[in-house]
């Protein structure tokens, strides 16, 4: 399946409010980035980071945070393994090269994780809707 069109869809919006997006395989043994915004930090999401997100032991996420593409994030709300929601809301912390923090939502489908990073000062709720809509669509397609 060609995933670049899904990234284009996640990036769409008027005015634009998504800075970057990624779709990652989440099945055990198949963890990888399937598609991402070219040149973005989310292109660097690692297998270990995907495994940490998918782990049933959620305590490390709150104790030490979550990493995405090597960047530390604070977990704000974790319902990834909740059948009604299947999302995590996080805040990417400022780095040495970028003093801003960004809202990110991660949504789980049957076989993948959808990661959507908002632009500066975009509230997490708006990003959550974008990720959740894509999650619902991909679930209807068996992904």
């Amino acid at each position: 399946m060609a995933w670049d069109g899904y990234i284009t869809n996640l990036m769409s919006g008027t005015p634009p409010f998504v800075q970057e997006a990624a779709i990652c395989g989440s099945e055990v043994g198949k963890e990888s980035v399937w598609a991402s915004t070219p040149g973005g930090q989310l292109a660097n999401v690692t297998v270990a980071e995907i495994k940490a997100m998918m782990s049933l032991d959620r305590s490390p996420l709150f104790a030490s945070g979550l990493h995405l593409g090597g960047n530390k994030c604070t977990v704000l709300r974790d319902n990834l393994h909740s059948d009604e929601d299947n999302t995590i809301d996080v805040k990417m912390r400022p780095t040495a090269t970028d003093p801003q923090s960004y809202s990110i939502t991660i949504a789980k489908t049957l076989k993948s994780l959808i990661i959507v990073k908002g632009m500066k000062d975009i509230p997490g709720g708006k990003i959550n809707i974008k990720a959740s809509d894509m999650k619902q669509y991909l679930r209807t397609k068996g992904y």
Side-chain angles (χ1 to χ4, degrees), residues 7-20:
I7 298 297
T8 300
N9 181 283
L10 289 167
M11 299 293 295
S12 67
T14 306
F17 60 92
V18 174
Q19 185 175 43
E20 61 178 298

Side-chain angles (χ1 to χ4, degrees), residues 72-76 89-93 101-104:
K72 186 145 182 155
C73 300
T74 301
V75 176
L76 304 175
D89 292 323
V90 303
K91 189 67 105 168
M92 184 175 279
R93 295 183 182 174
S101 61
Y102 300 92
S103 294
I104 297 176

Side-chain angles (χ1 to χ4, degrees), residues 67-86:
H67 287 83
L68 291 172
N71 296 300
K72 186 145 182 155
C73 300
T74 301
V75 176
L76 304 175
R77 188 183 60 81
D78 177 19
N79 288 329
L80 192 71
H81 295 302
S82 165
D83 288 335
E84 296 80 40
D85 191 9
N86 297 114

Side-chain angles (χ1 to χ4, degrees), residues 12-33:
S12 67
T14 306
F17 60 92
V18 174
Q19 185 175 43
E20 61 178 298
I23 300 175
C24 302
S26 63
E27 291 181 287
V28 174
K30 298 179 181 178
E31 299 93 345
S32 65
V33 176

Side-chain angles (χ1 to χ4, degrees), residues 35-143:
S36 64
T37 305
Q41 294 172 326
L42 298 178
N44 300 318
V45 170
T46 67
V47 170
E49 291 169 344
I50 295 169
K51 287 180 178 182
M53 285 184 269
M54 292 300 295
S55 173
L56 295 177
D57 180 6
R58 310 311 281 167
S59 58
L61 297 179
F62 288 99
S64 57
L66 173 71
H67 287 83
L68 291 172
N71 296 300
K72 186 145 182 155
C73 300
T74 301
V75 176
L76 304 175
R77 188 183 60 81
D78 177 19
N79 288 329
L80 192 71
H81 295 302
S82 165
D83 288 335
E84 296 80 40
D85 191 9
N86 297 114
T87 62
I88 303 174
D89 292 323
V90 303
K91 189 67 105 168
M92 184 175 279
R93 295 183 182 174
T95 65
T97 58
D98 189 350
Q100 303 300 321
S101 61
Y102 300 92
S103 294
I104 297 176
T105 293
I106 303 155
K108 181 179 79 166
T109 70
L110 303 172
K111 300 178 182 182
S112 66
L113 294 172
I114 301 154
I115 307 171
V116 181
K117 176 182 172 185
M119 292 183 176
K120 177 184 168 221
D121 297 328
I122 296 297
K126 194 165 187 175
I127 302 305
N128 189 293
I129 292 168
K130 185 69 108 163
S132 293
D133 287 349
M134 181 63 71
K135 171 194 72 176
Q136 290 301 108
Y137 176 78
L138 289 177
R139 281 180 169 229
T140 65
K141 300 298 181 189
Y143 287 97

